[in-house]
Amino acid sequence: MLVDNAEVGGKIMQVRCVDDEIVEIERSLTRRTGEESFDAQGGALLRGLHDHHLHLFSLAAALESTPCGPPEVERAEDLTARLAEATPQNGWLRGTGYFESVAGPLDRERLDALTPPLPVRIQHRSGAMWFLNSRALDALGLDQNSGNRELPEGLEVDERGRPTGRLFRADAWLRERLPATGPPDLAAVGALLARFGVTGITDATPSNGPDEMTRFRQAQMSGALPQRLRVMGGAALGMGAGTGGQKEERLSVDARKILLDEPALPSLDVLVEAIREAHMLGRGVAVHTVTRAEILFALAAIEVAGAHTGDRLEHASVAPPEAMDKIERLGIRVVTQPNFVAERGDAYQREVAEIDQPHLYKVKSWIDRAVPLALGTDAPFGHPDPWRAMRAAVHRETPSGARLGPEECVSPDMALALFDPERIRATGPGKALPGQGLRVLRPGDPADLVILRLPWSRARARLRAEDVRATICAGQIIYASGL
């Protein structure tokens, strides 16, 4: 493939890709017989974006579900109207993104009053909890009079032993008992991410195992998922690849994902053993940390187990100075989501403890400390558009226009660089990528590219997904505007 008239490093160049690699970048190249070409029309040619933290199957399911939280749903009346118009699937309604600002805390009675006479399950925007109405509880055999003795640990009951309708961290249990629909189709997700310029993904779902790897491979082979994919998951994923050089396979195993929940943390010994087991298999660990207690607990365990070059913290939502000091000393990597400042910042200012607010979703502070840092969207729990996350990293504006942590702002060049596929993989402990700007394309780089409609000097002021003209992965066009 030949990309014509592309801005590379501020100059208009011709770029030739052979198979999945850039082989030539020159001011003028002659098109070869039969060679595919694409006219960039002076737009910037950049490395394809890598979303370092999202959840593919959950995103696919969310795209087929009813939005039940801000910004689409702001009031109880909006929720009732949305659910009344929703189309059931196998007799159920599925909602996502609920937040307490809509109608306050939900339980079965509150949900019964808001929902139609069907089994309804609504996921909290954190992904940690499902709300079930009475018909859903009955259909799952969870109601008080069902006689079911196989109750999940995460089922909340009141003082009478009656289910409240809240189900915590029980996704696997729930999937086994819902009407069989098969795994969600990833085609819509693959197309959506391609439109954003995403050529690589790290799926950070802790329950990923061999079955999910098979489904991911099938989705790639069918073309439904055209991006490169690194997969985190449990111990069953085994020994990892994808932590080496640039030319990785399109599907590779990444770190072992460990989910921490502050109300039910494991013992330190249990966590240390899980970390050591992953390290013995050549895998780092990726530890979910969204509270002060979780990040300090995770760091204590990694320090006892001994840090591995692939160890990373996911979210690091609250990162007080003592945690940052230890992360820097241990050489641990961080993947965070400043898009939550733009999506939820007003709620954080109301609800997060005052002592923690200065430490929310840091960006610049990690860079100043040379801590290897990358960004993800956490879709579907955050919006899947990485350009929104970049704008949030640059401006730190909440939905109301307030600024949360303005000292953590970074330049547009740095925000884009934090979605680089090599951002945390190719660097050693304690070493960030050189420079604060873009990595200029060079021969030998993977042919994973995004072509913008504008030169970078203009696009950097906007950081808009609408400016993506085309996306190329492994030398193949996977999205082109107007096609």
Side-chain angles (χ1 to χ4, degrees), residues 142-209:
L142 293 175
D143 216 348
Q144 190 175 29
N145 300 319
S146 68
N148 191 316
R149 295 295 179 264
E150 191 184 354
L151 301 180
E153 283 186 21
L155 180 66
E156 182 185 79
V157 297
D158 61 21
E159 64 278 0
R160 297 170 294 167
R162 182 172 182 259
T164 65
R166 299 189 185 107
L167 189 60
F168 295 86
R169 295 290 185 199
D171 288 21
W173 187 95
L174 192 58
R175 276 195 300 271
E176 290 175 359
R177 288 156 181 82
L178 289 169
T181 58
D185 185 0
L186 294 179
V189 170
L192 178 68
L193 297 178
R195 182 162 59 84
F196 293 150
V198 173
T199 59
I201 302 158
T202 297
D203 190 292
T205 307
S207 60
N208 283 334

Side-chain angles (χ1 to χ4, degrees), residues 216-301:
F216 288 140
R217 186 174 292 107
Q218 290 170 345
Q220 287 185 323
M221 292 176 64
S222 71
L225 189 68
Q227 290 84 6
R228 299 184 194 270
L229 176 60
R230 306 173 195 163
V231 182
M232 293 181 182
L237 279 180
M239 189 169 183
T243 56
Q246 294 178 345
K247 293 184 180 179
E248 66 171 305
E249 297 296 326
R250 291 183 63 235
L251 179 64
S252 56
V253 174
D254 209 303
R256 178 174 177 179
K257 179 71 179 293
I258 297 177
L259 184 67
L260 296 182
D261 269 326
E262 183 177 335
L265 293 175
S267 72
L268 183 64
D269 288 345
V270 167
L271 182 55
V272 168
E273 183 59 27
I275 294 169
R276 285 175 172 164
E277 287 176 356
H279 291 175
M280 288 177 63
L281 291 173
R283 296 173 70 188
V285 292
V287 188
H288 167 103
T289 58
V290 298
T291 68
R292 178 184 290 256
E294 288 170 5
I295 197 170
L296 294 176
F297 184 68
L299 291 170

Side-chain angles (χ1 to χ4, degrees), residues 99-409:
F99 185 55
E100 287 78 4
S101 64
V102 173
L106 287 184
D107 58 19
R108 64 187 299 171
E109 282 80 13
R110 186 88 170 113
L111 198 52
D112 287 348
L114 295 172
T115 57
L118 289 168
V120 176
R121 67 189 192 279
I122 297 177
Q123 190 177 44
H124 190 267
R125 73 176 185 181
S126 67
M129 176 168 48
W130 288 92
F131 304 104
L132 308 174
N133 68 357
S134 292
R135 287 179 180 261
L137 289 166
D138 183 60
L140 293 168
L142 293 175
D143 216 348
Q144 190 175 29
N145 300 319
S146 68
N148 191 316
R149 295 295 179 264
E150 191 184 354
L151 301 180
E153 283 186 21
L155 180 66
E156 182 185 79
V157 297
D158 61 21
E159 64 278 0
R160 297 170 294 167
R162 182 172 182 259
T164 65
R166 299 189 185 107
L167 189 60
F168 295 86
R169 295 290 185 199
D171 288 21
W173 187 95
L174 192 58
R175 276 195 300 271
E176 290 175 359
R177 288 156 181 82
L178 289 169
T181 58
D185 185 0
L186 294 179
V189 170
L192 178 68
L193 297 178
R195 182 162 59 84
F196 293 150
V198 173
T199 59
I201 302 158
T202 297
D203 190 292
T205 307
S207 60
N208 283 334
D211 289 345
E212 286 74 19
M213 286 292 284
T214 298
R215 292 170 186 149
F216 288 140
R217 186 174 292 107
Q218 290 170 345
Q220 287 185 323
M221 292 176 64
S222 71
L225 189 68
Q227 290 84 6
R228 299 184 194 270
L229 176 60
R230 306 173 195 163
V231 182
M232 293 181 182
L237 279 180
M239 189 169 183
T243 56
Q246 294 178 345
K247 293 184 180 179
E248 66 171 305
E249 297 296 326
R250 291 183 63 235
L251 179 64
S252 56
V253 174
D254 209 303
R256 178 174 177 179
K257 179 71 179 293
I258 297 177
L259 184 67
L260 296 182
D261 269 326
E262 183 177 335
L265 293 175
S267 72
L268 183 64
D269 288 345
V270 167
L271 182 55
V272 168
E273 183 59 27
I275 294 169
R276 285 175 172 164
E277 287 176 356
H279 291 175
M280 288 177 63
L281 291 173
R283 296 173 70 188
V285 292
V287 188
H288 167 103
T289 58
V290 298
T291 68
R292 178 184 290 256
E294 288 170 5
I295 197 170
L296 294 176
F297 184 68
L299 291 170
I302 292 173
E303 187 169 34
V304 172
H308 182 280
T309 56
D311 290 344
R312 55 193 260 188
L313 297 184
E314 302 298 312
H315 309 299
S317 309
V318 178
E322 61 269 29
M324 299 187 75
D325 291 343
K326 187 169 287 190
I327 288 166
E328 184 178 4
R329 177 168 56 81
L330 293 174
I332 298 171
R333 306 158 190 227
V334 172
V335 175
T336 194
Q337 294 82 27
N339 49 300
F340 286 135
V341 172
E343 295 171 26
R344 308 178 184 179
D346 294 329
Y348 292 155
Q349 289 181 318
R350 293 191 304 269
E351 298 166 13
V352 172
E354 188 174 348
I355 191 174
D356 287 335
Q357 288 196 21
H359 310 306
L360 287 169
Y361 293 104
K362 291 177 176 288
V363 179
K364 187 175 184 296
S365 293
W366 297 118
I367 296 166
D368 291 344
R369 288 174 176 255
V371 170
L373 176 71
L375 300 185
T377 63
D378 198 22
F381 310 111
H383 196 285
D385 180 355
W387 299 92
R388 290 191 180 201
M390 292 181 218
R391 294 199 302 275
V394 172
H395 301 295
R396 305 283 299 192
E397 287 188 355
T398 72
S400 69
R403 300 186 81 196
L404 180 58
E407 69 280 359
E408 295 298 328
C409 293

Side-chain angles (χ1 to χ4, degrees), residues 391-452:
R391 294 199 302 275
V394 172
H395 301 295
R396 305 283 299 192
E397 287 188 355
T398 72
S400 69
R403 300 186 81 196
L404 180 58
E407 69 280 359
E408 295 298 328
C409 293
V410 296
S411 71
D413 289 21
M414 189 71 246
L416 176 62
L418 293 172
F419 280 97
D420 189 290
E422 304 298 322
R423 184 68 210 174
I424 60 172
R425 189 183 58 160
T427 56
K431 297 179 182 178
L433 284 173
Q436 298 296 305
L438 305 182
R439 294 185 66 196
V440 177
L441 292 171
R442 57 188 183 273
D445 280 348
D448 299 341
L449 306 165
V450 57
I451 301 170
L452 302 185

Side-chain angles (χ1 to χ4, degrees), residues 65-87:
S65 301
T66 301
C68 293
E72 295 91 349
V73 174
E74 298 284 358
R75 303 170 303 165
E77 293 83 358
D78 300 334
L79 178 62
T80 300
R82 283 272 182 161
L83 291 171
E85 297 168 357
T87 301

